[in-house]
């Protein structure tokens, strides 16, 4: 369908699409007009839901990572700095309704839900010491890691939360000594939608 927003009338006209030689075109004879004024005297009989598929570009941070035990080291919950660019397919749903005020009129409100699946890549840090290098590195430092993986993201209004599964690649000379090199982890992701 094709949705035409009539700003001066606070309304939407929804046209179904019909096939044509040039591709789908709006069927202007079968349009439905919906009043979306910000305030009404009576409630709407129907709540409307609109959806919009899109390509998603986000900035993700992964503040918590769960790593399974490896090389005699116990399970870990890491809280290190991570930042990544996320690319995925997204579908957003907007539900419009009216809420009664104490004065007896009805004010318009929207609820927004979004779902996205995609890939991410970025940079992070990992604490390096003797324990995570099987005793082969005798000093401590924060190593830079390349972070890669897949994520599923849910957005509710302005809040975005996701689950990420990824692997880290240490970018320095100790990469083959690090017990977590290319080992999978599961993390909690927060995002900021750039589009």
């Amino acid at each position: 369908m094709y949705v035409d927003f009539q700003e001066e009338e606070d309304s939407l006209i929804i046209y179904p699409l019909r096939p044509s030689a040039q591709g789908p075109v709006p069927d202007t004879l079968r349009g439905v007009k919906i009043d979306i004024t910000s305030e009404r005297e009576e409630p709407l009989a129907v709540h409307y839901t609109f959806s919009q598929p899109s390509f998603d570009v986000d900035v993700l941070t992964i503040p918590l990572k769960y790593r399974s035990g490896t090389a005699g080291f116990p399970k870990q919950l890491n809280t290190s700095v991570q930042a990544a660019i996320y690319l995925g397919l997204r579908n957003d749903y907007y539900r419009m309704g009216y809420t009664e005020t104490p004065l007896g009129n009805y004010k318009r409100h929207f609820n927004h839900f979004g779902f996205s699946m995609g890939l991410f890549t970025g940079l992070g840090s990992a604490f390096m010491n003797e324990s995570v290098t099987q005793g082969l590195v005798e000093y401590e430092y924060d190593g830079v890691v390349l972070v890669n993986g897949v994520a599923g993201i849910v957005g509710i209004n302005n809040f975005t939360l996701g689950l990420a599964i990824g692997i880290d690649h240490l970018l320095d000379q100790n990469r083959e000594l690090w017990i977590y090199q290319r080992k999978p982890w599961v993390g909690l992701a927060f995002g900021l939608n750039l589009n």
Side-chain angles (χ1 to χ4, degrees):
M1 61 182 60
Y2 179 80
V3 179
D4 184 21
F5 176 57
Q6 304 286 310
E7 189 171 359
E8 64 280 351
E9 298 177 23
D10 269 346
S11 65
L12 299 175
I13 302 177
I14 300 174
Y15 300 102
L17 295 177
R18 60 180 171 77
S20 75
Q22 296 82 24
V25 295
D27 185 347
T28 56
L29 299 177
R30 295 183 19 208
V32 176
K33 187 174 184 177
I34 300 172
D35 177 21
I36 60 164
T37 56
S38 61
E39 197 170 309
R40 301 173 58 86
E41 296 297 321
E42 71 283 337
L44 275 181
V46 176
H47 288 272
Y48 294 100
T49 301
F50 305 96
S51 68
Q52 176 185 14
S54 63
F55 183 73
D56 195 12
V57 179
D58 285 2
V59 173
L60 287 184
T61 183
I62 305 160
L64 293 175
K65 282 185 184 177
Y66 171 78
R67 297 182 189 274
S68 60
T70 186
F73 212 63
K75 299 171 185 171
Q76 296 286 308
L77 185 62
N78 298 132
T79 57
S80 58
V81 177
Q82 312 285 320
I85 296 293
Y86 168 88
L87 303 172
L89 297 176
R90 182 178 177 103
N91 208 351
D92 289 285
Y93 298 90
Y94 301 90
R95 185 169 169 86
M96 184 187 79
Y98 286 84
T99 306
E100 188 173 9
T101 70
L103 299 175
N105 58 352
Y106 295 83
K107 293 232 178 210
R108 180 183 66 209
H109 69 273
F110 284 94
N111 282 324
H112 168 234
F113 305 94
F115 305 95
S116 180
M117 288 290 294
L119 305 171
F120 64 86
T121 188
L123 294 175
S125 67
F127 184 66
M128 304 297 294
N129 60 25
E130 286 185 63
S131 299
V132 295
T133 59
Q134 301 177 26
L136 299 172
V137 174
E138 298 176 355
Y139 49 92
E140 295 180 352
Y141 69 101
D142 287 315
V144 177
V145 294
L146 178 65
V147 181
N148 294 301
V150 297
I153 297 175
V154 176
I156 302 171
N157 293 326
N158 293 327
F159 182 70
T160 302
L161 178 67
L163 184 65
I165 299 171
I167 56 175
D168 291 343
H169 302 276
L170 185 65
L171 297 179
D172 62 38
Q173 71 277 6
N174 295 321
R175 70 177 61 86
E176 297 306 322
L177 305 176
W178 188 40
I179 62 173
Y180 294 121
Q181 181 76 358
R182 295 184 297 275
K183 297 281 192 321
W185 50 261
V186 177
L188 185 65
F190 295 96
L192 173 64
N193 195 322
L194 297 181
N195 54 342

